[in-house]
Amino acid sequence: MRYTNLDEMYKALSRAERVAFDLETVGLDPQFSRASIMCISLCGEPGKPYVVLWDHPENKLPKDEVKVVLDELFAQEKVWIAQNGKFDCVWLRQFGFTVPAHSHDTIIMAHLLDENQPKNVESLASRYLGVPDWSQAMAGHFNAINKALREGKSIPYPPVEDLVTYAGRDADIELQLFNKLWPKLDPSQRRLHDFLMDVSWTLEEVEALGVYMRLEDLEQLEKDMEERMERALDLIEEKTGVRVNPNSPQQVASLLFDTLKLPVVDITDTDAPSTGQHTLKVLRKKAPEVIDALLSYRKAKKYVGSYLKPWKSLLNDKSRLRSSFNITGTVTGRLSCQNQSPWRGTKSVGMSLHQVPRDGEIRSVVTAPSGRLLIVADYSQIELRVAAALANEERMIEAYHKGEDLHMLTASVVSGKPLDEVTKEDRSKAKAVNF
């Protein structure tokens, strides 16, 4: 394993047409106050990785000299390969390095070949290269680092030989995976890979910047929600004479079925009367004011507990909430998302941006800083347009060319009504049929 001879590394990697790169970091969020890069590993020939120490205490080389060599390498035009390289590029940019023109990602290749299989580098190495899992070699060290970060203690850096062996293996395997996976992709899969790389580059900037939220807006909406919860409790007490704790299923059940004498709609797994959302909606016609108050309380409580308070704790000093986006996180092709986590093994605090309900009230806290505009953009019926093109469905294509509302058109066909008599309810049902 090579990790000190910069001249040898520079000459060898400069000759290579393809180079895989990988980082080992302290923490997962490069903007975290104690985040650092332990080492950077590179490999231009299978079996010959190089590992450059950076913030590891065993690094004896001047950082300015190391950075010059790495920046010159990263600036070279070649096939730059990584496994989930978006992560590594975000870190390199945050710490002031030249970011390589990352053009090929083995995790995206693996996702395109089989979206249902695990895509971490160890699983891919086992499946495609027959290499046994090596992750346990560093698991204890990473756990110790995470614990130190959580407890605010000094970082227990792993022994240099353990780190270098592990990091070098990562870069070496990533290069071998590229050589194995890229030839397996057909032309259409390669085009999709290249498109997803464009997405990856865009998301690097999105993750680094985050979404702007004013702390004052979060605090005001939290206060409004807490007042709404209190009003709901007062209304329930006024209508029933009972001061109920809506967080207690037993008390809610007593209120609904003993005090109000409402019929039991459903039974839980423990044979208790259900007080869930479905039950409340079914019973609403029989006691609308009380049920609406319960629903209002639950909604406000969820907003406070799942969004407003956690988001307040996650805002950085620029009043931004930052998230991590996963291009290969779902089998459907959609992005998945979680709030930025400072260290490994930490569950995301609060709901991520992808889980925010379609409610203008809660979404109103996402805004733009002074002097900026918040632009909301969305494709219009993109799935149906793709379906129309793939199926060469002439009537759909004609409708889109003419600027017709396809949901209205479907509603007219299904209901037998003329277009000018189609209602919003008809259109809503037709929309479900179309999708």
Side-chain angles (χ1 to χ4, degrees):
M1 196 69 61
R2 302 159 171 80
Y3 60 94
T4 55
N5 193 328
L6 291 179
D7 289 338
E8 176 193 342
M9 179 188 74
Y10 182 84
K11 291 176 183 178
L13 295 180
S14 293
R15 292 191 299 266
E17 295 181 2
R18 305 165 178 173
V19 176
F21 65 100
D22 190 74
L23 273 62
E24 299 304 331
T25 65
V26 171
L28 295 178
D29 181 1
Q31 295 185 24
F32 181 51
S33 60
R34 302 185 68 197
S36 64
I37 297 173
M38 290 191 288
C39 66
I40 299 171
S41 53
L42 305 102
C43 187
E45 181 181 350
K48 295 184 178 180
Y50 293 84
V51 179
V52 180
L53 298 180
W54 185 250
D55 278 324
H56 193 282
E58 291 296 317
N59 177 25
K60 307 302 182 186
L61 298 174
K63 280 190 172 182
D64 56 348
E65 294 181 15
V66 174
K67 187 174 184 301
V68 167
V69 172
L70 288 173
D71 282 346
E72 289 183 3
L73 267 176
F74 284 147
Q76 294 179 9
E77 292 186 12
K78 54 177 80 260
V79 176
W80 288 101
I81 302 156
Q83 164 84 5
N84 190 27
K86 175 166 63 65
F87 174 90
D88 304 275
C89 290
V90 168
W91 276 78
L92 288 172
R93 181 174 286 106
Q94 178 67 25
F95 282 83
F97 287 94
T98 296
V99 179
H102 172 221
S103 59
H104 292 74
D105 203 309
T106 52
I107 199 170
I108 293 176
M109 298 176 203
H111 184 68
L112 294 174
L113 290 170
D114 191 342
E115 70 273 19
N116 293 296
Q117 291 289 338
K119 292 177 281 289
N120 60 297
V121 68
E122 293 86 4
S123 295
L124 296 180
S126 174
R127 189 156 70 249
Y128 290 106
L129 304 175
V131 175
D133 188 344
W134 66 97
S135 62
Q136 290 305 308
M138 281 288 289
H141 297 307
F142 283 136
N143 289 337
I145 291 173
N146 295 339
K147 182 178 180 182
L149 288 173
R150 287 194 300 269
E151 297 176 355
K153 297 180 179 178
S154 299
I155 304 299
Y157 288 94
V160 68
E161 289 299 331
D162 290 353
L163 177 64
V164 165
T165 301
Y166 177 86
R169 175 67 64 87
D170 274 358
D172 185 9
I173 290 297
E174 288 165 20
L175 180 62
Q176 293 184 50
L177 282 172
F178 169 83
N179 293 337
K180 191 77 171 181
L181 299 182
W182 186 248
K184 292 179 178 290
L185 300 178
D186 63 35
S188 64
Q189 290 173 316
R190 290 189 180 188
R191 287 196 299 273
L192 186 51
H193 168 275
D194 293 344
F195 168 74
L196 292 176
M197 287 305 306
D198 289 341
V199 173
S200 180
W201 298 332
T202 301
L203 290 176
E204 286 177 28
E205 299 181 33
V206 172
E207 290 186 7
L209 189 60
V211 171
Y212 184 79
M213 295 180 181
R214 292 177 68 246
L215 179 60
E216 296 87 344
D217 293 342
L218 289 170
E219 290 177 337
Q220 182 59 55
L221 188 54
E222 181 182 351
K223 180 181 177 183
D224 294 344
M225 291 296 163
E226 289 174 342
E227 290 176 354
R228 186 177 302 179
M229 293 160 64
E230 192 63 28
R231 289 197 301 271
L233 294 179
D234 291 342
L235 189 147
I236 293 171
E237 185 174 14
E238 176 188 331
K239 297 297 179 182
T240 66
V242 176
R243 189 70 176 182
V244 69
N245 176 7
N247 304 313
S248 166
Q250 293 81 8
Q251 290 191 32
V252 174
S254 177
L255 174 75
L256 296 177
F257 309 119
D258 298 333
T259 303
L260 297 177
K261 307 298 183 184
L262 298 177
V264 174
V265 173
D266 200 0
I267 300 294
T268 68
D269 293 339
T270 58
D271 292 329
S274 172
T275 59
Q277 198 83 344
H278 171 70
T279 293
L280 294 183
K281 289 181 177 180
V282 171
L283 295 175
R284 185 181 177 279
K285 291 182 180 180
K286 299 181 180 298
E289 291 183 297
V290 173
I291 299 298
D292 282 347
L294 282 171
L295 291 171
S296 176
Y297 179 95
R298 288 183 177 180
K299 178 180 176 181
K301 180 176 175 58
K302 182 174 180 63
Y303 282 1
V304 171
S306 296
Y307 304 107
L308 302 175
K309 284 187 175 180
W311 286 352
K312 281 199 313 181
S313 71
L314 291 168
L315 284 186
N316 64 17
D317 57 2
K318 296 180 180 178
S319 199
R320 290 183 175 272
L321 176 69
R322 294 172 46 252
S323 299
S324 176
F325 294 89
N326 189 350
I327 296 172
T328 61
T330 69
V331 298
T332 62
R334 287 178 175 268
L335 287 173
S336 64
C337 167
Q338 65 181 25
N339 298 326
Q340 277 283 12
S341 221
W343 46 75
R344 290 173 171 84
T346 303
K347 289 186 177 180
S348 178
V349 179
M351 295 291 188
S352 71
L353 290 175
H354 269 198
Q355 296 169 294
V356 180
R358 294 179 179 273
D359 186 312
E361 195 167 29
I362 190 68
R363 293 192 173 202
S364 67
V365 297
V366 178
T367 182
S370 177
R372 300 285 182 136
L373 293 175
L374 180 64
I375 298 175
V376 180
D378 190 16
Y379 284 112
S380 171
Q381 302 175 10
I382 187 63
E383 296 93 343
L384 294 176
R385 293 175 188 270
V386 171
L390 291 176
N392 196 27
E393 214 299 317
E394 294 181 359
R395 184 63 186 93
M396 292 174 71
I397 293 172
E398 179 188 5
Y400 283 125
H401 279 312
K402 290 182 176 179
E404 295 177 312
D405 184 331
L406 194 69
H407 299 322
M408 291 285 285
L409 182 63
T410 302
S412 174
V413 172
V414 172
S415 66
K417 297 179 181 178
L419 279 172
D420 57 0
E421 295 182 12
V422 172
T423 66
K424 287 185 178 180
E425 185 179 357
D426 294 332
R427 186 185 184 279
S428 180
K429 292 178 179 178
K431 184 176 181 180
V433 169
N434 282 336
F435 282 113

